[in-house]
Amino acid sequence: MSTGLEIDPRLDLFEEIARLKKEKNAVILAHYYQDADIQDIADFIGDSLQLSQEAAKTNASIILFAGVHFMAETAKIISPTKKVILPDMAAGCSLADSCPPEAFKAFKDKHPDHVVVSYINCSAAIKALTDIVCTSSNAEKIIESIPKDKKIIFAPDRNLGAYLKKKTGRDMVLWDGACMVHEIFSLEKLLRLKERHLAAEVLAHPECEAAILDHADFIGSTTAILNYALQSEKKQFIVVTESGILHQMRKAAPDKEFIPAPPNANCACNDCPHMKLNTLEKIYLCLRDESPEIILDEALRVAASASIERMLAISK
Ligand code: 13P
Ligand code: SF4
């Protein structure tokens, strides 16, 4: 595998990436949690649903996914004939890791008459054990598409699951997983911040704990949070999600103030360490070498694709 040491320091990485993209008919899909520079070179920036819809319809030969492993894997599941590359294979996800397939299979077997809905932040093996995938932007719609008399398992995020139970009134069995970034926000610090910014609206991602969500003026996916802030008449916002989203917010509304919510410790833990493994250097090498590539066992891919296709059909 390539290392950053091979890069000629005189290269203009922005130019080189643009050249390689054209030469190789490649597209760069980036999640909002990527660094500002990466968002700026991307062809498409979006939340998990938009990224999977984009992966399904692109005409590019190569998809470079500036995000984490489950996102690139989802792109490969949907677009098997395309080469899908991920700048750093170690870019995982604590939420996806909190749901190992063997343990989930045993959990599912204990609830045989349940429809399984899984948040897209899970592995292909979990998607293969799932009836319908969802993202934070369509989760409510997906739950509501299931007949009222059907019992539901929701995996792997207990916070999003608890939020959906409250919103939809459905009594779902929840897998006990969580995201390390969204669980780290401090309620005490958020309340102090709110006191200092009385006019600010609190915008939160549903992966946060209920105690945080109880103090939010708006709860939604990264795209929904961004759109809400842009159309709101308010000028100040406390943003309770990964810090990468602030780049697009500040770019689109330079007259508004976006304040990142404080984490528990004095650290940068509202930066996702997995998302932040991607760098411009790694993106350049990944495009140049067309590696690391997502390779999936075909039987697993086919098994996982049905649950994503159902989600895409419901979300049209
Ligand atoms: P969305 O962008 O779909 O809101 O997902 C957030 C997230 O945690 C991605 O890892
Ligand atoms: Fe996973 Fe959380 Fe990072 Fe998203 S922010 S990739 S859910 S660890």
Side-chain angles (χ1 to χ4, degrees), residues 33 68 70 92-95 121 179-182 207 272 274-275:
Y33 295 164
V68 292
F70 77 80
C93 167
S94 67
L95 181 51
N121 301 33
C179 156
M180 62 190 285
V181 181
H182 289 89
E207 287 175 29
C272 172
H274 309 288
M275 289 277 182

Side-chain angles (χ1 to χ4, degrees), residues 201-203 217-219 223-237 248-249 252-253 255-256 258:
E201 285 192 298
V202 177
L203 315 179
D217 297 293
F218 179 77
I219 300 168
T223 299
I225 287 178
L226 174 64
N227 291 340
Y228 181 88
L230 300 188
Q231 60 74 42
S232 169
E233 282 171 4
K234 291 281 168 72
K235 291 284 177 205
Q236 253 188 353
F237 303 89
Q248 293 304 321
M249 290 178 145
D255 57 319
K256 297 188 177 186
F258 300 101

Side-chain angles (χ1 to χ4, degrees), residues 31-33 46-49 68 70-71 93 119 121 135-137 179 182 205 207 220-223 275:
H31 188 268
Y32 284 118
Y33 295 164
D47 67 8
S48 303
L49 176 62
V68 292
F70 77 80
M71 294 180 168
C93 167
Y119 191 34
N121 301 33
T135 73
S136 53
S137 60
C179 156
H182 289 89
H205 195 281
E207 287 175 29
S221 74
T222 47
T223 299
M275 289 277 182

Side-chain angles (χ1 to χ4, degrees), residues 277-313:
L277 279 177
N278 294 323
T279 60
L280 275 188
E281 287 77 7
K282 287 182 198 169
I283 288 178
Y284 162 71
L285 291 170
C286 183
L287 264 181
R288 188 193 70 183
D289 303 342
E290 298 180 24
S291 166
E293 183 184 353
I294 303 284
I295 307 285
L296 262 181
D297 171 75
E298 183 57 11
L300 175 61
R301 190 197 68 75
V302 171
S305 70
S307 58
I308 304 173
E309 297 296 347
R310 274 183 212 117
M311 170 189 81
L312 292 174

